[in-house]
Amino acid sequence: MLSQEQALEVVGTYVQAIKDGHNYHGRDDLCSDTIMGYARAATMYLETEHKLTVPLYLQTGGSQKQNKLNPFLSDLLVQRRTWKKQRPKKEPLTGDILEAMLQIAATDIRGILSESAAIYDWCRFGLYTGSRLGEYGQSKAPKGAAANWFAAIPNSNDVPREWRGRPLAFIEEDFAFYTRKDVALSVEAVIADPTRAHLLRVRYRYDKSNHNFVFRTYSRRSGSHICVIKAAMSIIRRHRMLGRSKDLPLGAFMDKEGTVCTIRGKHMEKAMRMGCERAYP
């Protein structure tokens, strides 16, 4: 039976081999966190199969005791952590790219129903509100899902009864328009006279934080196509022209075959890439 010190040396030898490229990925540039994942897995195996206790962490003293990585393993990882190469930063969605996306949408023969027009509207909406794909599109569609598939709120007792089974993404009633004096406007009134709408109140039924079912209000941005009011009106017009129920997600478009599709990550990526290539050839 190995002692704790010997078991730690076994794990340390294993960690060194992982660092040198003897791992599932066959890479010698794994980050320290990934290497620690291998170390924890090896520790669990020794403890479960061989009843060996491996002291990966040392408990520090003081009033608030904390676990500190055993120096034997820490020394193996410190250089990897210190000289870790930073991943390339994601470039922002610039005004030039948005302008290019607008030009692409404007020349699409399918007009407002097209994929390019829908993606453009949600990009300018998200740029203004900070909305993520999961709030208006389908970020986790299962493999083989239908084109119009959408994620739904769980049908359980933990959810208010009126929201069970309804879409996670925005639906029409999540958007409310108001005049400059905070007078509510119907969608029909806004479509008839878009200039009356100066405020948009958005209900966020799903949020990554603990604050679901909250309302946020945004104001019109005059003289710019990057305007949340214009984006919201275009989104709702498309939704109604597609003949979709008010209880279905607003994030949808019609493809070249005439099929109504919900917006997914692959659609966003393709449209942004095309906009970037046109803006920066």
Side-chain angles (χ1 to χ4, degrees):
M1 181 68 70
L2 297 176
S3 65
Q4 287 190 355
E5 290 74 17
Q6 290 172 327
L8 184 63
E9 290 177 2
V10 170
V11 174
T13 303
Y14 174 71
V15 167
Q16 185 61 56
I18 294 298
K19 286 181 59 181
D20 292 339
H22 301 285
N23 53 66
Y24 175 80
H25 303 282
R27 291 170 45 190
D28 61 2
D29 61 346
L30 297 179
C31 70
S32 57
D33 289 341
T34 301
I35 296 171
M36 269 306 301
Y38 279 95
R40 294 190 190 96
T43 298
M44 291 177 62
Y45 171 78
L46 292 174
E47 292 178 346
T48 303
E49 299 296 328
H50 298 280
K51 311 303 180 185
L52 293 174
T53 302
V54 184
L56 273 186
Y57 296 94
L58 302 177
Q59 197 172 71
T60 60
S63 57
Q64 294 183 339
K65 295 184 177 180
Q66 297 179 341
N67 291 331
K68 183 179 181 181
L69 186 63
N70 193 302
F72 181 79
L73 291 176
S74 179
D75 291 343
L76 291 174
L77 299 175
V78 65
Q79 289 298 320
R80 181 61 57 90
R81 187 177 294 114
T82 300
W83 296 102
K84 175 184 176 182
K85 184 179 179 180
Q86 298 297 320
R87 293 182 179 180
K89 293 184 178 180
K90 294 182 179 180
E91 294 296 329
L93 191 62
T94 66
D96 289 338
I97 295 176
L98 272 175
E99 187 66 39
M101 292 175 69
L102 171 60
Q103 294 171 5
I104 293 171
T107 55
D108 196 310
I109 60 174
R110 288 165 295 155
I112 191 174
L113 302 183
S114 68
E115 176 181 344
S116 57
I119 300 300
Y120 167 71
D121 281 338
W122 284 109
C123 279
R124 60 174 172 164
F125 180 90
L127 188 69
Y128 204 98
T129 64
S131 298
R132 308 177 183 90
L133 174 61
E135 292 168 340
Y136 58 81
Q138 311 306 318
S139 58
K140 297 181 180 180
K143 187 176 181 180
N148 62 351
W149 178 91
F150 61 87
I153 298 173
N155 190 7
S156 72
N157 293 332
D158 298 323
V159 179
R161 188 177 300 275
E162 65 270 23
W163 291 110
R164 296 175 191 173
R166 303 186 75 181
L168 279 175
F170 291 126
I171 57 178
E172 187 172 313
E173 65 183 77
D174 292 326
F175 288 6
F177 297 93
Y178 295 84
T179 67
R180 191 188 300 274
K181 295 183 178 180
D182 210 27
V183 176
L185 296 169
S186 66
V187 172
E188 289 74 18
V190 175
I191 292 176
D193 185 2
T195 62
R196 296 182 63 191
H198 283 268
L199 300 172
L200 174 69
R201 185 169 297 166
V202 180
R203 175 173 51 197
Y204 291 83
R205 289 176 292 109
Y206 171 69
D207 192 89
K208 283 189 175 181
S209 69
N210 295 324
H211 305 291
N212 293 333
F213 300 97
V214 298
F215 292 86
R216 299 188 182 98
T217 302
Y218 307 95
S219 59
R220 174 186 288 275
R221 185 182 181 189
S222 300
S224 173
H225 62 91
I226 306 176
C227 170
V228 68
I229 301 290
K230 294 177 182 177
M233 287 192 297
S234 181
I235 287 166
I236 291 179
R237 280 184 60 213
R238 177 180 305 104
H239 187 76
R240 293 195 170 192
M241 289 174 68
L242 288 171
R244 287 167 63 77
S245 164
K246 293 182 179 181
D247 289 328
L248 290 176
L250 288 171
F253 62 90
M254 182 178 289
D255 67 11
K256 294 179 180 178
E257 286 72 40
T259 302
V260 176
C261 308
T262 51
I263 294 176
R264 303 183 186 178
K266 62 182 180 181
H267 303 133
M268 301 295 295
E269 182 180 353
K270 182 178 75 173
M272 290 180 182
R273 189 180 297 276
M274 289 175 61
C276 183
E277 290 173 350
R278 172 171 289 201
Y280 308 108

